[in-house]
Amino acid sequence: MHEPVYQDVVDAAGRIAAYLPETPFHEIPPLSEKFGCHYFLKFESMQPVGAFKVRGGVNLVSRLSEKERARGLITASTGNHGASIAWASRAFGVRATVAAPEGSNPDKLAAIRRMGAEVVLHGSDFDEAREWCEAEAERSGMRYVHSANEPHLIAGVGTAALECFGAEPDIDVLIVPVGGGSGAAGAALVAKTRRPGVHVVGVQAERAPAVHQSLLAGEMRSHPSSATFADGLATRVPFELTFGMMRRLVDETLLVSEEEMCEAIRLLVSEVCVIAEGAGAAPTAAAAKMNLRGKKVAAMVSGRNLTAEHLRLILSGGVPMP
């Protein structure tokens, strides 16, 4: 397992171009005015699976050997990563199995099944599903795809930041959500290569702060729970590859509450007319707490996959229970 380098991201951009066009990236005047900066959003919610992860899935599956493809793929996910692997596996004719925890977003699971992957429900949270998945991969011989410790996934999702800096080379602040860390690690790798002085901010949920606490401590530490409705942020442990990259490349991490993410979801609906899931709204929730005056800021809307039930509750002023 090796860390990807900037050229890996450039190579990934060439691989995924035939499958995934660039997503919109532009300034949002009402939010620029609200935050006192030039506030740009990267709409990864416009990807075919509704989230940025599909970039990594296409890059990884496109590189598999014939033997790996014949074995089939198995992975664990709360939704978006699993959809990424399912979408890419269908595109390249590979069998895929996705392990998800009980109580996962039913819309995300339905989408994974529609793309032809088998879904197995196991455990109470992502990490329990992951542990089962790892044991099943060992038993079955399927090619296990870790959601973070995969260089090709990190390089693939890093292409979103590559597009941002291609359009706006002088970004001052980049704000990204942090779950397992593949998106943050890939984005930070690109940001620090293209503009070394950029300030990279990772955002976690207060109820799932394992990476934030680990970065403060300087070592990987688990957290006893990940009880957030933002399933894209719901991990109890950091992962070796992405944690090492974030230690070097991410300048700051912030925590946002469930209420702050819901307020950001409402703000994005009212001011931008876009739906963001909890992880997708987390960067905007963090921006509302930061002093960004006079800066050029890029924030990732990493995904849109809220259930209709959660969206109705949030728009009515409520906060979903995890």
Side-chain angles (χ1 to χ4, degrees):
M1 187 172 62
H2 65 275
E3 289 190 5
V5 297
Y6 177 73
Q7 186 59 45
D8 293 326
V9 183
V10 175
D11 293 344
R15 282 183 171 268
I16 72 174
Y19 300 90
L20 303 169
E22 289 194 14
T23 55
F25 176 64
H26 49 79
E27 185 174 2
I28 309 300
L31 299 187
S32 293
E33 181 178 352
K34 182 178 180 65
F35 300 145
C37 64
H38 296 285
Y39 194 74
F40 289 73
L41 288 177
K42 180 62 168 168
F43 291 95
E44 287 298 284
S45 53
M46 300 301 293
Q47 293 287 3
V49 302
F52 77 104
K53 294 267 189 182
V54 70
R55 294 174 180 268
V58 170
N59 189 47
L60 183 142
V61 178
S62 72
R63 295 174 180 271
L64 294 177
S65 68
E66 289 301 320
K67 287 185 178 180
E68 287 176 310
R69 294 185 187 193
R71 287 161 55 194
L73 303 180
I74 187 168
T75 195
S77 174
T78 55
N80 288 338
H81 167 68
S84 161
I85 296 301
W87 195 94
S89 294
R90 183 178 65 179
F92 291 95
V94 180
R95 177 170 58 96
T97 298
V98 177
E102 299 280 352
S104 294
N105 181 322
D107 296 343
K108 291 184 179 182
L109 299 184
I112 291 169
R113 292 188 179 101
R114 283 196 301 272
M115 287 181 274
E118 179 186 2
V119 174
V120 178
L121 298 179
H122 190 89
S124 62
D125 63 13
F126 167 76
D127 290 296
E128 289 188 0
R130 174 182 55 80
E131 290 162 2
W132 177 87
C133 183
E134 290 168 353
E136 180 62 16
E138 183 71 20
R139 185 197 67 79
S140 68
M142 298 178 77
R143 203 290 197 181
Y144 173 52
V145 181
H146 194 285
S147 62
N149 288 336
E150 291 278 0
H152 294 318
L153 286 185
I154 297 169
V157 296
T159 60
L162 195 67
E163 293 170 12
C164 294
F165 282 87
E168 298 290 339
D170 56 345
I171 293 167
D172 298 308
V173 181
L174 177 65
I175 312 177
V176 292
V178 178
S182 63
L189 171 62
V190 170
K192 293 297 187 178
T193 303
R194 294 292 293 267
R195 186 167 165 81
V198 69
H199 189 75
V200 180
V201 181
V203 186
Q204 284 213 292
E206 285 183 354
R207 294 183 177 181
V211 171
H212 173 75
Q213 292 178 347
S214 296
L215 288 172
L216 290 177
E219 62 181 10
M220 294 196 298
R221 293 182 177 180
S222 63
H223 192 265
S225 67
S226 56
T228 173
F229 83 91
D231 50 9
L233 306 180
T235 55
R236 286 190 283 109
V237 296
F239 299 115
E240 181 181 357
L241 182 55
T242 51
F243 180 73
M245 294 180 69
M246 286 188 289
R247 281 190 70 180
R248 291 196 335 273
L249 301 170
V250 172
D251 298 291
E252 177 184 8
T253 55
L254 296 175
L255 298 178
V256 292
S257 68
E258 306 294 285
E259 293 78 9
E260 287 166 340
M261 284 186 283
C262 289
E263 180 57 34
I265 290 170
R266 290 189 285 269
L267 181 65
L268 290 169
V269 168
S270 64
E271 298 294 354
V272 194
C273 295
V274 66
I275 294 172
E277 59 187 271
T284 296
K289 303 167 66 169
M290 298 172 66
N291 179 7
L292 299 171
R293 188 157 299 279
K295 303 290 187 181
K296 179 176 280 189
V297 181
M300 294 284 180
V301 182
S302 58
R304 67 170 186 259
N305 296 315
L306 272 176
T307 64
E309 178 184 0
H310 278 184
L311 181 60
R312 283 193 294 267
L313 176 62
I314 291 167
L315 293 182
S316 68
V319 177
M321 295 295 293

